[in-house]
Amino acid sequence: MPALVNSACLLDDQEALSSKVSQTCGVMGDRQMHHWDLHSHKSAPTRFSAFGAELNQQVFLLPRLWVNRLPLSYVPYYLPCPEIFNMKLQYKGEKPFQPVAPSPYPQPKLLEQRPTELLTLTPWLAPIISEGTFNAELLQHIYQPLNLTIGLTAFAVGKYTGFVQRFLESAEQFFMHGYRVHYYIFTDDPKAIPRVPLGPGRLLSVIPIRERSSWEEVSMRQMETVSQHIAERAHREVDYLFCLSVGMVFRNPWGPETLGDLVAAIHPGYYAVPRHQFPYERRHVSTAFVADSEGDFYYGGAVFGGRVGRVYEFTRGCHMAILADKANGIMAAWQEESHLNRRFISHKPSKVLSPEYLWDDRKPWPSSLKLIRFSTVDD
C-alpha cells in the first residue's frame, strides 16, 4: 500500500491540491457517503484541519490525484470540501441479498450435550448466553467505561397500556443497571402511560402511533415503526437497541452480557424440539418461507436487538419482506415473528440468548435453566 503523502508535499502544493479536491468533491461525495455506517459520524472530523497537520488521526480518503505530475495516492478527507460536511448523514445502503443454495447441516440442539446443560456455542461460533457462561463483574469493568446508552422499545397498544407500569418498574430494577437507558414506548394512547420514577441517566419517551383496527395490523407494522424511529431519531441517541414485549417483566439482572451486533432469543416453546416442528411459514408463496431442512433455533419475536445500526438493517429488511407479502395478499403464519425467523436464517445473530431471557411462566421451570431473567405476565 503506498504511504501517506508527507506534510511538506502537501504544504508546497496547497493551492493546486485544494483546487483538485474541490473539483473532485462534487463527483465523489455521494458515493463516499453511501458507504458510511451509523457510527462514522462520531469519528469524522468536525472542523477543517491545516494541511499536513495531525496526519496520524483517522482520515477518510479520496481517489488518486496528480499534483505537479506526481501521483498522490492518498489525500486526507478533511481537506477543504464543505459540500461533504454539509451533507446529511445517510445510512449504509444494503447490498441486495443474493440467496445461495441451501447447504444442509445438522440442527444445533440447545440440550445437545446433556439434558441439564445448555449448548454454549452455535455452529457459526455465536455464544449462547445463559447463567454460568459469563462473569458479570468482569463484564461490568469492560463495558461501563465505554459510556454506552442502551435503548429499549416496547409497544403499548389497547389493553397493553396496562402492562407498562410493571414493565418499567421491573426494568428499573434489573435492566442494564448502572448504564444510561432510554425507554421508547410506542402507544396509541399516550395519556394512559404512567410516569414511573426513573433512576439517574434513564429517560422515557412516549411516542404516539396511529390507532390500528386489529392487533395483527399492529404487529405487522412494528418492524416498520422501529426502523423509521431509528432512522429519524434513535441512531443519534443510543448505541444499542433492544426490542422487547411490554407484556413481560424482568425477574433477574439483564446486563452487558446481552450486548452484541445482532442478538436473538430462543423461544421457550421450541428449544427442545426438532426443527421440522418449528412453526415457520411453510408456504412457498411467502417471503418468510422456510423449508423443513432449514433453521437453527426458533427465535421469539418478543426479544431481539443489537447495535443500533444492525437493528435498523434487520428491521428494515423484515419490513421490506412484509410489504412484498402484503402486495401478494399474504400474511405469514406468525406475522412479524415469521419474518424475523426467516431473516435470522440468512443473517445469523452474533449472539443468542437462552430461554432464560424469554420465558413463559405458564411452563414448568426446567432444570436446564438456572434462573429466569425475563418472562411473561398474565393477561
Side-chain angles (χ1 to χ4, degrees):
M1 177 181 290
L4 277 170
V5 62
N6 61 46
S7 58
C9 177
L10 283 171
L11 289 169
D12 290 343
D13 298 302
Q14 176 175 346
E15 183 176 352
L17 191 56
S18 297
S19 174
K20 289 289 185 181
V21 172
S22 297
Q23 296 170 13
T24 307
C25 285
V27 177
M28 294 301 298
D30 290 341
R31 188 168 59 183
Q32 292 284 1
M33 289 298 297
H34 179 70
H35 293 285
W36 281 18
D37 64 22
L38 286 170
H39 299 283
S40 64
H41 69 284
K42 295 183 180 178
S43 57
T46 56
R47 59 181 182 274
F48 302 132
S49 302
F51 279 80
E54 303 293 342
L55 284 178
N56 61 338
Q57 65 178 290
Q58 183 176 354
V59 297
F60 296 91
L61 306 176
L62 288 174
R64 181 184 295 262
L65 300 175
W66 292 80
V67 178
N68 291 346
R69 300 181 181 177
L70 294 175
L72 297 179
S73 296
Y74 297 93
V75 179
Y77 211 43
Y78 52 65
L79 296 177
C81 185
E83 293 85 357
I84 289 179
F85 292 98
N86 288 335
M87 292 178 68
K88 183 179 180 181
L89 178 66
Q90 301 292 323
Y91 284 92
K92 180 176 65 174
E94 277 192 294
K95 296 180 180 179
F97 177 68
Q98 299 294 331
V100 297
S103 178
Y105 58 90
Q107 174 193 354
K109 297 178 181 178
L110 195 61
L111 299 175
E112 191 168 31
Q113 298 171 334
R114 298 177 185 174
T116 58
E117 293 185 11
L118 300 180
L119 190 68
T120 59
L121 197 67
T122 69
W124 61 94
L125 302 183
I128 301 174
I129 307 301
S130 61
E131 180 67 13
T133 63
F134 60 92
N135 184 310
E137 184 177 356
L138 176 61
L139 291 178
Q140 286 290 85
H141 285 300
I142 293 172
Y143 281 95
Q144 279 199 321
L146 300 180
N147 201 29
L148 300 172
T149 300
I150 317 300
L152 190 161
T153 70
F155 285 78
V157 178
K159 70 175 184 178
Y160 285 90
T161 57
F163 293 89
V164 173
Q165 181 158 349
R166 191 174 177 185
F167 175 82
L168 290 176
E169 288 175 347
S170 68
E172 281 298 284
Q173 184 177 1
F174 294 117
F175 182 75
M176 292 294 175
H177 193 263
Y179 294 85
R180 293 198 307 270
V181 172
H182 198 148
Y183 302 107
Y184 301 103
I185 303 297
F186 298 93
T187 182
D188 58 352
D189 187 6
K191 294 180 180 179
I193 303 302
R195 300 301 173 180
V196 175
L198 304 178
R202 299 169 82 94
L203 302 173
L204 169 63
S205 293
V206 178
I207 303 172
I209 58 175
R210 197 174 71 187
E211 186 175 356
R212 303 293 177 182
S213 59
S214 66
W215 175 250
E216 288 76 14
E217 188 179 359
V218 172
S219 175
M220 293 296 287
R221 301 301 291 265
Q222 288 186 17
M223 293 293 187
E224 175 189 17
T225 302
V226 171
S227 64
Q228 288 181 350
H229 177 68
I230 293 173
E232 294 170 0
R233 176 177 172 181
H235 77 276
R236 299 188 301 269
E237 298 176 342
V238 302
D239 301 290
Y240 292 85
L241 186 69
F242 285 97
C243 304
L244 307 182
S245 171
V246 77
M248 305 183 74
V249 292
F250 295 88
R251 310 283 188 184
N252 280 289
W254 175 311
E257 75 278 0
T258 61
L259 298 179
D261 279 353
L262 188 60
V263 181
I266 298 174
H267 195 291
Y270 302 97
Y271 69 94
V273 302
R275 60 186 170 192
H276 71 269
Q277 294 181 16
F278 291 168
Y280 288 142
E281 172 56 67
R282 300 299 187 179
R283 295 172 296 172
H284 289 78
V285 293
S286 173
T287 58
F289 166 74
V290 178
D292 287 344
S293 60
E294 289 185 290
D296 305 303
F297 306 103
Y298 188 79
Y299 302 108
V303 173
F304 67 94
R307 287 189 179 273
V308 67
R310 292 297 304 277
V311 177
Y312 170 76
E313 293 171 359
F314 184 84
T315 54
R316 183 176 178 273
C318 288
H319 174 53
M320 292 297 104
I322 291 169
L323 287 181
D325 271 8
K326 187 175 182 180
N328 291 317
I330 301 166
M331 179 180 289
W334 290 100
Q335 293 90 44
E336 291 198 330
E337 188 172 87
S338 294
H339 289 279
L340 173 143
N341 272 277
R342 172 66 263 180
R343 193 162 181 85
F344 272 137
I345 293 174
S346 56
H347 298 72
K348 303 291 190 192
S350 62
K351 184 171 286 188
V352 176
L353 306 182
S354 73
E356 68 183 50
Y357 291 88
L358 177 56
W359 189 247
D360 184 347
D361 281 344
R362 295 169 295 186
K363 297 180 177 296
W365 188 343
S367 58
S368 57
L369 298 185
K370 297 181 176 64
L371 54 78
I372 303 299
R373 300 178 188 273
F374 189 57
S375 67
T376 57
V377 295
D378 295 331
D379 289 349

